[in-house]
């Protein structure tokens, strides 16, 4: 009797381990089959946000793919569609966390690069009326606004949120109004 129970337990353990082996093999096959999807999403994120290397984006995308494999429900969507959403979400979270962790306090090299590349239109007449005590960041924001850059582009250059940029613009307007009264 004890022997039969031991044999049954051994069989059950073997079946469980063979099931987990099969699921691991299936997971690895799905990762191999959808690796191109991860790479394409990583490349698109690299173009828009060249914050880290392509390898980093691919690794983050693979995590998103694994989450998609584990959470996929055939009844709700096609796998590739669901996987793309999971991969993009993981990449977006990575970009947000990276920007938050490595928040750039205004970097003078951005201004130097813009000046070097003649990335702004000279508006000397206007800058004659700007006070000398505005910060380099405020001066840079003013130049970008005069060049008709939108807030999203300025946020990307300054690595700040739209709300932070709105506050910076409000402060700049206050400084300009006070100086030109």
């Amino acid at each position: 009797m004890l022997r039969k129970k031991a044999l049954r337990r051994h069989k059950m353990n073997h079946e469980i381990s063979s099931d987990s082996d099969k699921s691991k093999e299936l997971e690895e096959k799905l990762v191999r089959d959808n690796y191109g999807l991860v790479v394409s999403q990583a490349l698109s994120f690299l173009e828009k946000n060249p914050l880290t290397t392509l390898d980093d984006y691919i690794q983050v995308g693979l995590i998103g793919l694994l989450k998609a494999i584990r959470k996929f429900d055939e009844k709700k969507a096609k796998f590739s569609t669901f996987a793309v959403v999971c991969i993009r979400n993981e990449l977006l979270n990575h970009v947000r966390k990276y920007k938050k962790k490595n928040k750039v306090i205004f970097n003078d090299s951005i201004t130097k690069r813009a000046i070097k590349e003649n990335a702004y239109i000279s508006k000397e007449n206007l800058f004659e009326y700007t006070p000398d005590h505005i910060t380099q960041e405020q001066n840079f924001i003013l130049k970008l606004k005069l060049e008709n850059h939108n807030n999203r582009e300025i946020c990307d250059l300054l690595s700040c949120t739209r709300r932070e940029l709105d506050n910076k613009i409000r402060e700049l307007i206050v400084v300009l109004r006070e100086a030109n009264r």
Side-chain angles (χ1 to χ4, degrees):
M1 189 75 166
L2 286 171
R3 196 169 195 192
K4 285 183 180 179
K5 285 184 178 178
L7 280 171
R8 275 191 230 141
R9 217 178 303 128
H10 177 71
K11 261 187 173 179
M12 285 176 48
N13 288 341
H14 181 69
E15 287 173 6
I16 290 170
S17 67
S18 85
D19 284 346
S20 68
D21 288 344
K22 287 178 185 176
S23 68
K24 285 181 183 176
E25 287 175 17
L26 179 62
E27 201 172 80
E28 288 175 11
K29 183 183 181 319
L30 283 169
V31 168
R32 280 192 305 270
D33 291 347
N34 293 289
Y35 187 78
L37 190 63
V38 172
V39 172
S40 70
Q41 292 300 313
L43 284 170
S44 72
F45 268 81
L46 183 65
E47 285 177 12
K48 296 173 190 169
N49 304 296
L51 303 172
T52 60
T53 64
L54 177 62
D55 290 337
D56 290 340
Y57 281 124
I58 290 173
Q59 289 299 319
V60 171
L62 286 171
I63 291 169
L65 179 62
L66 284 173
K67 286 181 179 179
I69 290 169
R70 292 174 183 162
K71 293 180 181 180
F72 178 63
D73 184 6
E74 293 176 6
K75 298 170 189 167
K76 293 184 178 179
K78 188 176 165 186
F79 178 74
S80 60
T81 306
F82 182 70
V84 166
V85 170
C86 289
I87 293 166
R88 280 187 189 161
N89 286 341
E90 201 64 33
L91 288 167
L92 279 170
N93 288 335
H94 172 70
V95 168
R96 285 186 196 117
K97 286 178 186 176
Y98 185 88
K99 282 184 176 180
K100 196 172 199 176
K101 187 174 92 176
N102 300 315
K103 188 167 183 162
V104 177
I105 299 171
F106 183 73
N107 187 351
D108 192 39
S109 67
I110 295 171
T111 308
K112 289 178 183 174
R113 188 179 71 212
I115 291 169
K116 190 176 192 179
E117 296 173 0
N118 292 326
Y120 68 93
I121 300 167
S122 178
K123 305 255 183 181
E124 285 85 16
N125 293 339
L126 180 71
F127 287 107
E128 288 176 14
Y129 298 103
T130 59
D132 294 333
H133 64 276
I134 67 169
T135 65
Q136 287 181 327
E137 183 180 40
Q138 290 172 331
N139 196 22
F140 187 63
I141 292 170
L142 184 59
K143 287 178 184 177
L144 292 174
K145 280 306 220 179
L146 290 172
E147 295 169 11
N148 295 323
H149 287 274
N150 62 32
N151 285 359
R152 176 183 248 169
E153 294 168 338
I154 297 172
C155 286
D156 289 343
L157 287 170
L158 296 176
S159 298
C160 67
T161 64
R162 288 189 181 184
R163 182 174 286 164
E164 290 171 331
L165 181 63
D166 288 342
N167 289 336
K168 291 175 185 189
I169 290 173
R170 271 191 225 105
E171 290 172 11
L172 176 60
I173 290 170
V174 168
V175 169
L176 291 174
R177 279 186 183 151
E178 287 176 9
N180 290 304
R181 281 191 179 171

